[in-house]
Amino acid sequence: MIIRPWKYEDILRISEMEKECFPQEPWSYKMLVSGFESENFTGVVAEDDGEIAGYGGITIAADSADIENIAVTEPYRNSGIATSIITELCTLAKAKGVEKVFLEVRVSNTPALRLYLKNGFNGVYARTRYYTNGEDCLVMCKKL
């Protein structure tokens, strides 16, 4: 398993994974391309034998950053890939002078909440009725 930067040609597969992993509100292909083209965004993929098993992206602005998405395909879940992606994104952010990394998570997404807590994130505040279905999100932060 290797963690490497996104390539433009990865975006189609990442777009397909978005639909699989986030069926309620996936990022569109166009949104992913837009992120890829932003100088403030960095995306990484976890690749196993040429197959993308997971991905993540972070947007950096001054001394803070936002993890935009973390996703791992079903066969690779609970194997440490998401932790490797988070570690890589935080390492890249720290190298660019970031002091705090934020992310948003659905309050019902227990596996993700456990993952983020295990990786040093703490709840900061909730955004009520944040998602289109009315679900709340929890904003979490990790100090680097």
Side-chain angles (χ1 to χ4, degrees):
M1 183 71 56
I2 62 164
I3 306 290
R4 63 166 176 78
W6 278 15
K7 297 178 195 168
Y8 191 83
E9 53 266 30
D10 296 326
I11 295 175
L12 181 58
R13 176 62 185 130
I14 291 168
S15 173
E16 293 167 355
M17 289 173 62
E18 270 288 308
K19 293 174 197 163
E20 294 167 22
C21 296
F22 305 108
Q24 294 172 321
E25 294 185 47
W27 280 28
S28 68
Y29 180 84
K30 186 176 179 178
M31 291 168 72
L32 292 164
V33 168
S34 176
F36 181 81
E37 292 173 343
S38 168
E39 64 184 36
N40 296 329
F41 179 84
T42 301
V44 298
V45 297
E47 189 176 73
D48 183 36
D49 239 1
E51 176 72 24
I52 296 175
Y55 63 91
I58 192 166
T59 299
I60 297 172
D63 64 349
S64 69
D66 292 297
I67 291 181
E68 305 294 348
N69 275 350
I70 301 274
V72 176
T73 59
E74 186 69 38
Y76 290 95
R77 289 189 185 147
N78 299 311
S79 66
I81 291 174
T83 292
S84 295
I85 291 169
I86 290 168
T87 300
E88 180 67 13
L89 293 174
C90 288
T91 299
L92 292 167
K94 189 171 186 174
K96 292 184 178 185
V98 169
E99 296 173 9
K100 292 181 182 179
V101 176
F102 294 89
L103 57 81
E104 298 167 343
V105 60
R106 288 178 180 272
V107 295
S108 66
N109 192 342
T110 305
L113 287 165
R114 275 194 295 248
L115 170 71
Y116 300 141
L117 288 168
K118 182 181 96 175
N119 281 279
F121 286 84
N122 294 300
V124 181
Y125 58 89
R127 291 188 172 140
T128 57
R129 296 177 296 285
Y130 181 74
Y131 295 102
T132 56
N133 69 350
E135 185 175 357
D136 298 344
C137 93
L138 178 64
V139 176
M140 302 183 81
C141 179
K142 177 178 181 172
K143 293 180 182 177
L144 301 181

Coordinates of all heavy atoms in Angstrom, one line a residue, residues 12 30 41 64 84 93 105 107-108 123 129 133 141:
L12 N -11.6 10.4 -12.0 CA -12.8 9.6 -12.4 C -13.1 8.5 -11.4 O -14.2 8.3 -11.0 CB -12.6 9.0 -13.8 CG -13.8 8.2 -14.3 CD1 -15.1 9.1 -14.4 CD2 -13.6 7.7 -15.7
K30 N -17.1 17.4 -11.3 CA -16.7 18.8 -11.5 C -16.1 19.4 -10.2 O -15.2 20.2 -10.3 CB -17.9 19.6 -12.0 CG -17.7 21.0 -12.3 CD -18.9 21.7 -12.9 CE -18.6 23.1 -13.2 NZ -19.8 23.8 -13.8
F41 N -5.4 23.3 -2.4 CA -5.9 21.9 -2.2 C -4.8 20.9 -2.5 O -4.1 21.0 -3.4 CB -7.1 21.6 -3.0 CG -7.7 20.2 -2.9 CD1 -8.6 20.0 -1.8 CD2 -7.3 19.2 -3.7 CE1 -9.1 18.7 -1.7 CE2 -7.8 17.9 -3.6 CZ -8.7 17.7 -2.5
S64 N -4.3 27.4 9.1 CA -5.3 26.3 9.4 C -5.6 25.6 8.1 O -5.3 26.1 7.0 CB -6.6 26.9 10.0 OG -7.3 27.7 9.1
S84 N -3.7 6.2 7.7 CA -2.6 6.6 6.9 C -2.8 7.8 6.1 O -2.0 8.7 6.0 CB -2.2 5.4 6.0 OG -1.8 4.3 6.8
A93 N 0.2 19.3 5.8 CA -0.3 20.6 6.3 C 0.7 21.2 7.3 O 1.0 22.4 7.2 CB -1.6 20.4 7.0
V105 N -18.1 16.2 10.3 CA -18.5 14.8 10.2 C -20.0 14.7 10.6 O -20.4 15.4 11.5 CB -17.7 13.9 11.1 CG1 -17.7 14.3 12.5 CG2 -18.0 12.4 10.9
V107 N -23.1 13.5 12.5 CA -23.2 13.0 13.9 C -23.6 11.6 14.0 O -23.3 10.9 14.9 CB -24.2 13.9 14.8 CG1 -23.6 15.3 14.9 CG2 -25.6 13.9 14.2
S108 N -24.2 11.1 12.9 CA -24.6 9.6 12.9 C -23.5 8.7 12.4 O -23.6 7.5 12.4 CB -25.8 9.5 11.9 OG -25.5 9.8 10.6
G123 N -14.1 17.3 19.3 CA -15.2 18.1 18.9 C -15.1 19.5 19.3 O -14.7 19.8 20.4
R129 N -28.7 21.0 11.6 CA -29.4 20.8 10.3 C -28.4 21.2 9.1 O -28.9 21.8 8.1 CB -30.7 21.6 10.2 CG -31.7 21.0 11.2 CD -33.0 21.8 11.3 NE -32.8 23.2 11.7 CZ -32.7 23.6 13.0 NH1 -32.6 22.7 13.9 NH2 -32.6 24.9 13.3
N133 N -30.4 16.6 4.3 CA -31.5 15.8 5.0 C -31.8 16.3 6.4 O -32.6 15.6 7.1 CB -31.1 14.3 5.0 CG -29.9 14.0 6.0 OD1 -29.3 14.9 6.5 ND2 -29.7 12.7 6.2
C141 N -11.5 19.3 15.5 CA -10.2 20.0 15.3 C -9.0 19.2 15.9 O -9.2 18.6 16.9 CB -10.2 21.4 15.9 SG -8.7 22.4 15.8

